[in-house]
Amino acid sequence: MDKDEIHLRRLPAPHREFCGVDFLPEDLNEALEETEMRVNKTYSCLPAEEKGIHIINIRAIEDIGYDQHESTLLNSLSKNPDADCKYGLYFRDGKRKVDYILVYQYKKSSAGRTVTRRAHYDSTARSTKQGQPLPGKGVQLETGESEPHMDYHEDDKRFRREEYEGNLVEAGLELEHDEDTKIHGIGFVKIHAPWNVLCREAEFLKLKMPTKKMYQISQTHGLLKKINSVIQKITEPIQPKVAEHKPQTVKRLSYPFSREKQHLFDLSDRDSFFDSKTRSTVVYEILKRTTCTKAKYSMGKGEGRKKEATLLNKRRKCGKYGITSLLANGVYSAAYPLHDGDYEGENVEPNDRKLLCEEWASYGVFYKYQPIDLVRKYFGEKIGLYFAWLGVYTQMLIPASIVGIIVFLYGCATVDENIPSMEMCDQRNNITMCPLCDRTCSYWKMSSACATARASHLFDNPATVFFSVFMALWAATFMEHWKRKQMRLNYRWDLTGFEEEEEAVKDHPRAEYEAKVLEKSLRKEHKHKETDKEKLTWKDRFPAYLTNFVGIIFMVGLTFAIVFGVIIYRISTAAALAISSTPSGRSSVRVTVTATAVIINLVVIIILDEVYGCIARWLTQIEVPKTDKNFEERLIFKAFLLKFVNAYTPIFYVAFFKGRFVGRPGDYVYIFHSFRMEECAPGGCLMELCIQLSIIMLGKQLIQNNLFEIGIPKMKKFIRYMKLKHQHSLDHEEHMKKKQRYEVDYNLEPFAGLTPEYMEMIIQFGFVTLFVASFPLAPLFALLNNIIEIRLDAKKFVTELRRPVAVRAKDIGIWYNILRGIGKLAVIINAFVISFTSDFIPRLVYLYMYSENGTMHGFVNHTLSSFNVSDFQAGTAPNDPMDLGYEVVICRYKDYREPPWSENKYDISKDFWAVLAARLAFVIVFQNLVMFMSEFVDWIIPDIPKDISQQIHKEKVLMVEVFMREEQGKLQMLETWKDKDKKKGENCNNHSPRLSRSHSGSLSSCHSYPLDV
């Protein structure tokens, strides 16, 4: 027998195990052979008396990787191997860094033992004999041996993992397994990208990397320089203490990485040239595009095997079954990059995560600027842009809050000088108002609504109009300021040449899309049709589109129905409380009804927000968008539409519909022929709108944005910890062992995207801008919330979530368009709120058209109409008409109608039409004026700062100079080579023919010189 062959001798054994290694079925072993991976196993063999073993000759031991390196590792167990690999941050050799982690679940063996292994796949140590099988491969088991029961589903997953990991090794990655962890039943695959793979992928991805060339950033001169230096000194205490945040005077020239131009880049320290964020991005791109074509482990024969072969061929044709589909199918349970290390504890090595926790993710540094450059370095551009946008938004809320406080204080200062509220509070006027409901409600004095009238003035005064105009311009300025900030970040982060189209080319189809395409192609093949280049058309998606349309209409209708139900509650509760025998109960009816109804609205909004988020995701999933970007945009649109309607419908009702369709005494509008539509208070609906807006806004921020964000992740983490503790009772030694980095990160919450973070801020932006005329303090409460929100989100990203894969982006995407849309809508809504909800326009009309002495005296009486109580419909008059102590003949109600002694009694009066015309005119003038001013602000402020445009131009010029010098250097080198070649050729020609023939080798070597160089 040949010396290279493996000698096997089978000994009787009750179990088919050898030193912790399972022997796989023949088909699986053939698949393992296809992967051409080298598997190094650490064996802990049991005595032959206890187990049946395969005796393998020494030659085979070299093939399975039990070499001197492994024996050295086994002999050095006195050292702590976990400390050498920095507790999971490196491979066990302590040199290769872990760039990515794949997690899978495995089951215990039938004998009750867990098949544990620590193995690594190394592409650099493959067997030179490609066709040589691994030990145990291709060995026929003796007939008559009883095979253990096999879980084909788990076996299929293992088969796919082995094929996929083999393809990863072929792509150049290095792998290392670890199943000997504290989390039983969970295995980890550590992935390392070597230098050549990083260079190749960086070139494919066109990653801009810093070159050796450095240039001076142009600085301001003269007065601006002095002002900037003063500002830097003043703001120094609130600057984060990180190197990335310090102002820089020089910058390295960046250029897309190229292996042919490596001499341009500073490669003195290769370990730090590609940071951890870039390394994980590179590995993730490889994981996405590496395919796993063998979808099933076939155990069938005959016809079944033919069908599976057809399916396999189709999957190969379809291709692109990468990590996303493997995660979706449960082959792997998780995939994530590692955090840089621990962020708390003694003797923790300095790392970016610890620095972020100290200088960013702490409530003690709420007053400091964010270290945005460090956030981008650790989490990537997309997350960095979110926190930069949140920081700019929070900064811009400071002037809005100050102006809002001034407007509110102006209302407080002038409340005692407000003539209409003074007239309403004057008991000498003796104005008797008509009942607020039928039969159970009695007549009431207008002076009883004195507190509401005085409170309304705090928000309904001339300063509110100014504040509405100011906030419209503030929104336009905020958008322009963000665009300029975004350009500065693009320049600093080397994204100026980055285009979204480049990312779209690399966007891989989602696993669900590929599955649908495969299903469609199989259906067509069954009908013997051509199936090349299949894709989903609108006909395939039509049922999903119809479901989306019907679902969204139903959800919007559900929101309206709930608001309508709250209206019924308000009306019925007001009628029930009016029967109360106590005077205090009757006097507080309006406040009680309003407060309880708003709390009900708040609870419903919070519940429906969560429900609508899940429904929006489901509706987007059944559409089967092709790429993750399409999926995200469609999800954002649906979620925003549903949550916008859910949050603002109750507020729209109070602002524009309450009290508009009431009717008049004697001819009221009824719901279901029994419930009378509710009216606004004598001071108008603006105060109630303010209460509604403030409670919903503050309640959403406090409960949903803060308590949920803190409580739910903590609760999930605690539940996971209790499950693991309950399932596996660990001995003391195992319990005291420090966890590996990837084990700790596995227990963290997976990153779910930025959509929820943006969504809550966009809804808040709507509260700040849409109805700001009714609640000037909204910017202040938003500012206080955002100060906490920034640190809360930062703490969540640093300590509670797994590290997300870094994604390149140069803007905030579709959210910018949504912000602009809300800003435009805010102008229109505030115009209608001032015009129709507040009493600003009726006061102006009265002051300039009807006032006898040019003051507001008599305004309240002008806005009230008279009603003769004898004109009540049968069964609607008060049960106790003498409740006030005297008989009422004429009662008053708020409307512009003819008096009962007029020829056209109770008809709409001319005053109504005058006020309506003034209101519509104000809406048109206000809207166009503010829109024009906003567009003017947009036009006058350039999108790109002048200094940034100059620096970008300077970079382009410097890059051209670098390449021109390089070309000149090449030409000079070529000329030098030609001269040397010419001289050597002349020397060779000077030899005699005989000498030339005898030294023909020398002559040929002369001419080969340039080629060798």
Side-chain angles (χ1 to χ4, degrees):
M1 186 174 287
D2 187 69
K3 63 178 181 178
D4 287 340
E5 285 187 74
I6 301 175
H7 299 270
L8 297 174
R9 181 158 52 91
R10 182 69 174 173
L11 296 180
H15 303 294
R16 293 169 53 219
E17 294 180 347
F18 167 62
C19 304
V21 183
D22 276 345
F23 277 78
L24 304 176
E26 183 180 355
D27 291 344
L28 283 180
N29 284 321
E30 291 172 2
L32 280 172
E33 188 175 0
E34 290 177 9
T35 61
E36 299 177 1
M37 290 188 298
R38 177 181 175 87
V39 184
N40 293 339
K41 306 265 183 200
T42 303
Y43 295 96
S44 56
C45 301
L46 298 177
E49 294 81 13
E50 295 183 19
K51 301 183 68 174
I53 62 171
H54 294 277
I55 298 178
I56 308 176
N57 68 4
I58 298 300
R59 188 72 180 176
I61 287 179
E62 183 183 351
D63 287 332
I64 64 173
Y66 191 87
D67 55 8
Q68 187 176 357
H69 173 73
E70 290 288 333
S71 61
T72 306
L73 179 65
L74 290 172
N75 293 331
S76 61
L77 290 177
S78 57
K79 296 181 180 179
N80 185 359
D82 292 337
D84 292 339
C85 65
K86 296 188 178 180
Y87 295 98
L89 287 174
Y90 288 81
F91 278 21
R92 280 188 302 281
D93 58 13
K95 297 177 181 178
R96 291 174 293 176
K97 189 173 183 180
V98 176
D99 299 319
Y100 217 87
I101 291 291
L102 300 180
V103 186
Y104 60 91
Q105 296 178 348
Y106 65 93
K107 291 190 176 180
K108 295 182 180 180
S109 63
S110 58
R113 300 186 186 90
T114 303
V115 183
T116 61
R117 61 175 178 166
R118 282 181 180 258
H120 68 274
Y121 299 93
D122 193 344
S123 60
T124 61
R126 292 185 193 170
S127 174
T128 54
K129 296 179 176 63
Q130 299 294 332
Q132 185 174 338
L134 288 172
K137 276 199 170 192
V139 179
Q140 297 291 333
L141 296 176
E142 292 181 6
T143 58
E145 286 187 12
S146 60
E147 294 187 5
H149 173 71
M150 294 182 64
D151 186 344
Y152 295 119
H153 185 63
E154 291 299 321
D155 204 52
D156 175 42
K157 288 183 179 179
R158 183 179 59 178
F159 183 49
R160 283 199 252 180
R161 282 198 299 269
E162 287 167 344
E163 186 209 352
Y164 183 69
E165 289 166 14
N167 293 339
L168 291 180
V169 172
E170 289 182 359
L173 298 178
E174 297 175 5
L175 311 182
E176 185 177 81
H177 275 88
D178 187 1
E179 290 180 359
D180 186 16
T181 63
K182 291 184 72 174
I183 309 175
H184 292 290
I186 299 294
F188 296 90
V189 182
K190 296 177 276 186
I191 303 177
H192 168 76
W195 173 256
N196 60 325
V197 174
L198 291 172
C199 293
R200 181 191 71 207
E201 297 299 320
E203 185 172 348
F204 290 166
L205 297 174
K206 298 182 180 178
L207 297 180
K208 273 193 170 184
M209 304 302 294
T211 63
K212 297 175 183 176
K213 176 70 176 177
M214 301 180 71
Y215 68 95
Q216 192 80 17
I217 298 176
S218 59
Q219 302 292 324
T220 54
H221 301 283
L223 182 62
L224 285 177
K225 186 176 181 181
K226 292 180 180 179
I227 294 174
N228 287 338
S229 62
V230 171
I231 292 174
Q232 285 179 6
K233 288 180 182 178
I234 294 173
T235 59
E236 188 175 355
I238 60 175
Q239 300 290 346
K241 297 177 181 178
V242 296
E244 285 80 2
H245 199 77
K246 293 178 181 177
Q248 298 178 346
T249 57
V250 293
K251 185 178 183 292
R252 286 189 179 273
L253 199 61
S254 295
Y255 184 72
F257 188 82
S258 172
R259 286 172 290 181
E260 295 180 356
K261 301 184 182 301
Q262 287 193 29
H263 58 277
L264 293 177
F265 303 95
D266 184 10
L267 304 179
S268 55
D269 185 6
R270 290 191 172 188
D271 292 336
S272 62
F273 182 73
F274 295 106
D275 56 16
S276 58
K277 165 186 68 78
T278 308
R279 298 176 71 97
S280 63
T281 304
V282 164
V283 174
Y284 183 63
E285 287 296 326
I286 298 175
L287 292 175
K288 281 199 299 184
R289 72 164 183 261
T290 301
T291 58
C292 177
T293 54
K294 295 182 181 177
K296 293 182 69 176
Y297 166 53
S298 173
M299 298 295 294
K301 292 183 179 180
E303 198 63 34
R305 196 176 279 274
K306 285 181 182 178
K307 289 181 180 178
E308 287 163 4
T310 304
L311 178 65
L312 177 59
N313 290 333
K314 280 292 154 194
R315 284 192 178 268
R316 279 177 178 154
K317 224 181 256 186
C318 221
K320 295 190 178 178
Y321 278 78
I323 189 63
T324 52
S325 62
L326 296 177
L327 288 170
N329 295 329
V331 178
Y332 291 102
S333 56
Y336 51 89
L338 291 180
H339 280 292
D340 277 359
D342 292 326
Y343 59 90
E344 60 183 359
E346 297 180 359
N347 303 322
V348 176
E349 292 186 4
N351 57 72
D352 287 342
R353 189 187 187 194
K354 186 174 184 293
L355 188 59
L356 282 171
C357 189
E358 293 172 352
E359 294 294 329
W360 182 52
S362 172
Y363 296 110
V365 294
F366 72 93
Y367 60 92
K368 288 188 176 183
Y369 285 101
Q370 298 183 84
I372 292 297
D373 292 323
L374 184 59
V375 174
R376 173 254 178 179
K377 177 185 174 185
Y378 193 79
F379 291 110
E381 287 79 7
K382 192 170 185 178
I383 294 175
L385 281 172
Y386 163 71
F387 281 103
W389 173 82
L390 185 56
V392 170
Y393 172 46
T394 305
Q395 287 177 10
M396 290 294 292
L397 283 172
I398 295 174
S401 303
I402 294 172
V403 177
I405 293 172
I406 293 173
V407 170
F408 178 73
L409 293 177
Y410 171 81
C412 295
T414 58
V415 67
D416 293 329
E417 302 171 5
N418 183 37
I419 296 174
S421 61
M422 290 170 62
E423 287 183 348
M424 289 178 66
C425 294
D426 191 358
Q427 296 184 359
R428 293 173 298 178
N429 288 334
N430 197 26
I431 300 176
T432 304
M433 303 297 293
C434 295
L436 295 174
C437 61
D438 293 342
R439 294 188 301 275
T440 56
C441 299
S442 185
Y443 305 105
W444 56 286
K445 291 281 190 182
M446 175 172 270
S447 57
S448 64
C450 175
T452 307
R454 289 173 64 86
S456 296
H457 179 72
L458 300 177
F459 307 100
D460 188 4
N461 55 67
T464 3
V465 181
F466 158 75
F467 190 57
S468 299
V469 176
F470 171 80
M471 287 303 294
L473 298 178
W474 172 87
T477 307
F478 162 60
M479 300 305 294
E480 290 304 309
H481 179 48
W482 166 244
K483 281 197 289 188
R484 291 169 64 84
K485 176 70 173 179
Q486 195 170 251
M487 281 304 304
R488 288 189 181 277
L489 292 176
N490 285 340
Y491 165 70
R492 267 179 17 213
W493 297 349
D494 298 319
L495 294 171
T496 49
F498 171 73
E499 294 298 333
E500 298 291 343
E501 289 77 12
E502 296 177 9
E503 287 294 295
V505 172
K506 299 192 296 290
D507 250 354
H508 299 274
R510 298 172 61 249
E512 293 82 358
Y513 180 85
E514 292 283 4
K516 282 287 184 183
V517 170
L518 176 65
E519 184 183 335
K520 181 181 177 181
S521 62
L522 289 176
R523 280 200 311 267
K524 282 198 172 184
E525 187 186 74
H526 185 68
K527 297 177 182 178
H528 305 289
K529 293 183 179 180
E530 183 63 33
T531 59
D532 287 339
K533 296 182 180 180
E534 281 297 334
K535 64 179 181 179
L536 297 184
T537 62
W538 69 269
K539 291 181 181 179
D540 301 317
R541 291 193 174 105
F542 180 74
Y545 289 153
L546 185 61
T547 306
N548 270 261
F549 178 75
V550 174
I552 290 174
I553 294 297
F554 175 76
M555 292 300 120
V556 172
L558 176 64
T559 305
F560 290 161
I562 291 173
V563 172
F564 183 73
V566 174
I567 294 170
I568 300 296
Y569 162 81
R570 292 161 67 113
I571 296 170
S572 57
T573 307
L577 291 176
I579 309 175
S580 175
S581 57
T582 59
S584 60
R586 289 196 297 268
S587 63
S588 61
V589 167
R590 192 180 295 276
V591 176
T592 305
V593 170
T594 301
T596 54
V598 171
I599 292 172
I600 292 172
N601 274 326
L602 174 63
V603 173
V604 169
I605 285 171
I606 291 174
I607 294 173
L608 286 185
D609 252 5
E610 302 302 320
V611 174
Y612 285 169
C614 298
I615 290 175
R617 181 168 289 276
W618 176 74
L619 290 175
T620 309
Q621 285 173 347
I622 64 174
E623 279 188 40
V624 198
K626 184 175 181 180
T627 63
D628 288 329
K629 185 178 180 182
N630 292 340
F631 181 88
E632 186 181 21
E633 288 180 350
R634 295 186 187 193
L635 174 62
I636 288 170
F637 174 74
K638 293 180 184 65
F640 174 73
L641 178 63
L642 292 175
K643 293 190 176 187
F644 183 89
V645 171
N646 180 42
Y648 296 116
T649 300
I651 301 173
F652 269 94
Y653 164 72
V654 174
F656 302 121
F657 296 99
K658 185 179 179 182
R660 308 290 172 194
F661 311 103
V662 178
R664 60 171 180 82
D667 188 21
Y668 282 115
V669 176
Y670 290 90
I671 303 174
F672 305 132
H673 303 287
S674 56
F675 296 105
R676 205 176 91 187
M677 291 292 291
E678 54 183 346
E679 303 176 36
C680 289
C685 279
L686 196 69
M687 186 62 203
E688 191 171 340
L689 175 62
C690 174
I691 294 172
Q692 184 104 1
L693 183 66
S694 58
I695 292 179
I696 291 178
M697 178 182 175
L698 296 178
K700 252 181 82 69
Q701 290 183 350
L702 181 64
I703 298 172
Q704 195 174 27
N705 296 359
N706 293 330
L707 291 183
F708 279 14
E709 285 194 20
I710 297 173
I712 290 179
K714 293 280 186 188
M715 187 172 64
K716 286 182 178 179
K717 189 176 179 181
F718 177 74
I719 291 172
R720 275 198 307 271
Y721 171 75
M722 293 303 294
K723 278 184 179 179
L724 291 172
K725 191 176 181 181
H726 177 70
Q727 289 173 359
H728 311 290
S729 56
L730 305 173
D731 57 14
H732 182 70
E733 183 182 352
E734 184 80 7
H735 185 70
M736 294 303 292
K737 186 176 71 172
K738 185 176 178 180
K739 282 188 176 181
Q740 302 289 323
R741 177 78 263 151
Y742 42 85
E743 294 178 78
V744 177
D745 286 4
Y746 177 71
N747 290 327
L748 298 178
E749 191 72 14
F751 175 64
L754 289 171
T755 300
E757 315 298 335
Y758 272 114
M759 189 66 71
E760 64 184 67
M761 288 295 105
I762 296 295
I763 296 295
Q764 185 205 83
F765 183 76
F767 282 123
V768 169
T769 55
L770 291 179
F771 296 94
V772 75
S774 62
F775 189 39
L777 295 179
L780 174 64
F781 290 115
L783 173 65
L784 297 176
N785 173 80
N786 288 4
I787 291 173
I788 301 172
E789 180 73 20
I790 289 175
R791 306 303 164 180
L792 180 65
D793 282 349
K795 196 171 187 66
K796 182 172 68 174
F797 272 83
V798 174
T799 64
E800 300 290 338
L801 297 179
R802 292 175 190 162
R803 187 174 183 178
V805 179
V807 178
R808 287 192 297 171
K810 64 186 302 183
D811 52 41
I812 59 175
I814 193 175
W815 297 110
Y816 181 80
N817 298 328
I818 292 175
L819 285 168
R820 284 188 67 88
I822 291 177
K824 302 293 184 186
L825 185 62
V827 176
I828 301 170
I829 290 178
N830 280 306
F832 277 94
V833 167
I834 295 169
S835 181
F836 286 89
T837 310
S838 74
D839 281 340
F840 178 73
I841 299 301
R843 287 173 187 168
L844 285 181
V845 172
Y846 176 78
L847 185 63
Y848 292 108
M849 290 182 64
Y850 300 104
S851 177
E852 296 177 355
N853 52 6
T855 64
M856 292 301 296
H857 287 287
F859 170 73
V860 174
N861 188 55
H862 176 74
T863 58
L864 298 177
S865 299
S866 301
F867 178 75
N868 193 330
V869 298
S870 61
D871 293 330
F872 272 122
Q873 291 180 353
T876 60
N879 296 332
D880 186 10
M882 299 295 292
D883 185 57
L884 294 178
Y886 56 89
E887 184 180 358
V888 178
V889 178
I890 299 292
C891 66
R892 310 295 296 275
Y893 62 98
K894 190 172 183 180
D895 205 348
Y896 291 99
R897 290 184 181 269
E898 298 289 343
W901 52 83
S902 172
E903 293 181 0
N904 303 315
K905 64 177 184 178
Y906 307 132
D907 284 350
I908 294 174
S909 65
K910 294 179 180 179
D911 298 341
F912 172 83
W913 300 110
V915 172
L916 180 62
R919 281 174 165 165
L920 293 175
F922 176 83
V923 168
I924 294 171
V925 172
F926 181 89
Q927 176 184 331
N928 286 282
L929 178 63
V930 174
M931 287 282 192
F932 170 77
M933 294 171 69
S934 300
E935 292 297 328
F936 180 75
V937 169
D938 192 357
W939 172 76
I940 202 172
I941 300 176
D943 293 346
I944 305 177
K946 187 177 180 181
D947 59 328
I948 296 299
S949 60
Q950 290 175 350
Q951 298 294 345
I952 294 172
H953 178 70
K954 186 176 181 180
E955 276 195 353
K956 291 179 179 178
V957 172
L958 288 173
M959 188 54 68
V960 170
E961 289 180 1
V962 168
F963 285 120
M964 289 297 293
R965 288 176 184 174
E966 186 180 359
E967 290 298 321
Q968 290 174 0
K970 286 181 180 179
L971 289 174
Q972 290 176 0
M973 192 177 295
L974 285 172
E975 289 177 359
T976 305
W977 289 346
K978 286 180 181 179
D979 292 341
K980 288 182 178 179
D981 186 39
K982 189 176 180 181
K983 288 179 180 178
K984 290 211 170 189
E986 290 176 355
N987 292 335
C988 291
N989 290 332
N990 290 335
H991 293 297
S992 62
R994 180 180 55 81
L995 191 60
S996 297
R997 281 194 299 271
S998 64
H999 295 83
S1000 57
S1002 301
L1003 182 61
S1004 62
S1005 65
C1006 292
H1007 291 285
S1008 67
Y1009 173 76
L1011 183 61
D1012 294 339
V1013 174

